[in-house]
Amino acid sequence: MLKKSLKNTIILNIGAFVLVLILELLSGWMMVDRYDTPFSFFLWGLKYAFNIMAAIWINHFILIPCFFDKKRYFIYGLLLIGSIFFVAYLEAYTKNNWSGVTKTFLFHFYTTGTGMAAFFLRRNMIIQRENAEKEKLQIEMELNYLKEQVNPHFLFNSLNSIYSLSRQQSPETPDLVMQLSELLRYQIESSKKDIVLLKEELEFIENYLLLEEKRLSKRCTIEFLIEGDLLGLKISPMLLIPFVENAVKHGAQSTNEQSTIDISASIKNTTLHFCVVNSKPSMVSISKRKGLGLENVKRRLKLLYPNSHVLKIEDTEEKYHVNLSIDLLVSKL
């Protein structure tokens, strides 16, 4: 990386030197007849180009890193003016020609200022690119961590469901174990991907609800409705399931009363509208309902769909209502 950076710096400065040389030769082209040979004219342009770049190089490679970047601005200013004056003096002082020195000083002051503007512009672009890369890396690391948290959380809830059925000695338990294995297979495969088909994700939710519906028997009515054309739309895996899990956990699972869970997924153009409504038991311990699953998915939504999702949660005495809208084509995936 260091060798590549050094190589780029050398190439950039050689290119800048050649550009300044060309500009000097073009600007003095009208005076080419004053020189004995074209070669002597070229040497004149080469000398001026070197003097211009010398002031710029002293500033870029010595003064800025040693004084400006260390916030020693006063010393930096003095040394910058001094170095420009020194270059101008060497270039123009002949026979006490202070007028020529002054003009040359002002010219070099202008070219050095232009070089500084180009230097800081380039450095700012590099810093912005590095910060963008760091931010992207940080988001990827955080998303991977959040995705890893989803796996044990979902497995824990699913095993609880199977455990409840096994205690009831339900004859459906072996079939449900196989169904759970299919759900886990999808989860493991999808966790390796950044995006999956929305159709597959909704099918996963449907199979999960079928498992929960058998476990909850007749004391919970579950409705799952899908409307609209999926159109090959894609979504981050395991993004919607925490809302469904919480509807089961804090609704039907927390009471022996009759309960309902209504879930709908409608697609309009490229926007997914996902709605989860579950009834709340009449008597239940007070809970702020801030489990790992919901906090996890809220964070993932902010990272993946920062400006293209709207999440509204309404908690009333009788119902808990989650309404999520996501434009699936606008994301950081």
Side-chain angles (χ1 to χ4, degrees), residues 135-147 236 239 295-309 330-333:
E135 182 181 358
K136 182 180 179 182
L137 180 61
Q138 182 64 31
I139 290 176
E140 289 177 353
M141 292 174 61
E142 188 169 354
L143 283 173
N144 288 334
Y145 172 73
L146 293 173
K147 285 171 68 177
S236 178
L239 189 65
E295 293 304 313
N296 188 322
V297 74
K298 287 178 182 179
R299 182 60 182 158
R300 290 181 68 195
L301 283 169
K302 289 180 180 179
L303 292 172
L304 294 170
Y305 306 93
N307 301 313
S308 59
H309 84 277
V330 183
S331 72
K332 288 192 174 182
L333 292 169

Side-chain angles (χ1 to χ4, degrees), residues 144-160:
N144 288 334
Y145 172 73
L146 293 173
K147 285 171 68 177
E148 289 172 0
Q149 283 187 322
V150 171
N151 290 333
H153 185 263
F154 174 78
L155 177 61
F156 176 78
N157 288 343
S158 300
L159 288 177
N160 271 346

Side-chain angles (χ1 to χ4, degrees), residues 36-230:
D36 297 334
T37 64
F39 182 71
S40 60
F41 170 69
F42 175 78
L43 290 178
W44 168 84
L46 187 64
K47 183 189 74 171
Y48 269 84
F50 181 79
N51 289 336
I52 291 172
M53 292 305 299
I56 293 175
W57 286 334
I58 291 172
N59 184 35
H60 286 189
F61 298 112
I62 299 177
L63 301 183
I64 289 179
C66 295
F67 299 99
F68 185 88
D69 289 342
K70 295 180 180 179
K71 298 182 179 181
R72 300 166 69 178
Y73 301 125
F74 181 74
I75 298 177
Y76 167 77
L78 290 178
L79 292 176
L80 176 62
I81 294 174
S83 62
I84 295 174
F85 179 82
F86 179 71
V87 171
Y89 179 83
L90 292 178
E91 181 178 336
Y93 184 75
T94 55
K95 298 180 181 180
N96 296 323
N97 186 8
W98 287 104
S99 176
V101 172
T102 303
K103 292 180 180 179
T104 305
F105 171 81
L106 294 175
F107 174 73
H108 280 299
F109 191 83
Y110 167 76
T111 56
T112 304
T114 303
M116 283 183 63
F119 172 82
F120 284 113
L121 178 62
R122 178 174 178 268
R123 186 161 75 169
N124 186 57
M125 292 174 62
I126 293 174
I127 292 173
Q128 287 183 348
R129 184 171 66 250
E130 290 177 348
N131 289 340
E133 291 175 355
K134 290 178 182 178
E135 182 181 358
K136 182 180 179 182
L137 180 61
Q138 182 64 31
I139 290 176
E140 289 177 353
M141 292 174 61
E142 188 169 354
L143 283 173
N144 288 334
Y145 172 73
L146 293 173
K147 285 171 68 177
E148 289 172 0
Q149 283 187 322
V150 171
N151 290 333
H153 185 263
F154 174 78
L155 177 61
F156 176 78
N157 288 343
S158 300
L159 288 177
N160 271 346
S161 300
I162 301 298
Y163 174 71
S164 299
L165 287 171
S166 64
R167 291 198 62 181
Q168 299 170 14
Q169 297 182 349
S170 171
E172 294 182 335
T173 302
D175 293 334
L176 294 179
V177 171
M178 290 300 298
Q179 190 173 346
L180 175 60
S181 69
E182 292 297 323
L183 292 173
L184 293 177
R185 181 179 290 109
Y186 170 80
Q187 187 194 32
I188 292 172
E189 292 176 354
S190 65
S191 65
K192 301 175 184 178
K193 305 175 183 177
D194 292 327
I195 54 175
V196 295
L197 288 173
L198 177 60
K199 179 181 178 182
E200 294 177 352
E201 191 72 7
L202 295 178
E203 287 176 352
F204 169 77
I205 292 174
E206 184 176 17
N207 291 330
Y208 172 75
L209 289 173
L210 289 174
L211 185 150
E212 290 295 338
E213 192 172 28
K214 292 177 181 178
R215 180 179 68 88
L216 296 171
S217 187
K218 297 181 180 180
R219 62 187 176 90
C220 180
T221 302
I222 299 177
E223 295 289 342
F224 184 37
L225 178 64
I226 301 176
E227 294 180 334
D229 191 349
L230 301 182

Side-chain angles (χ1 to χ4, degrees), residues 157 161 205 208-213 215-216 219-220 222 241-255 259-263 276-279 281 289 320:
N157 288 343
S161 300
I205 292 174
Y208 172 75
L209 289 173
L210 289 174
L211 185 150
E212 290 295 338
E213 192 172 28
R215 180 179 68 88
L216 296 171
R219 62 187 176 90
C220 180
I222 299 177
I241 192 65
F243 298 115
V244 180
E245 286 182 308
N246 275 271
V248 174
K249 179 179 178 181
H250 297 281
Q253 188 174 314
S254 62
T255 181
S259 58
T260 60
I261 298 175
D262 294 321
I263 302 173
V276 180
V277 181
N278 66 271
S279 60
R289 197 177 175 121
Y320 194 87

Side-chain angles (χ1 to χ4, degrees), residues 306-319:
N307 301 313
S308 59
H309 84 277
V310 177
L311 176 62
K312 295 181 180 179
I313 297 178
E314 297 180 9
D315 191 359
T316 65
E317 292 184 2
E318 298 181 351
K319 292 184 178 181

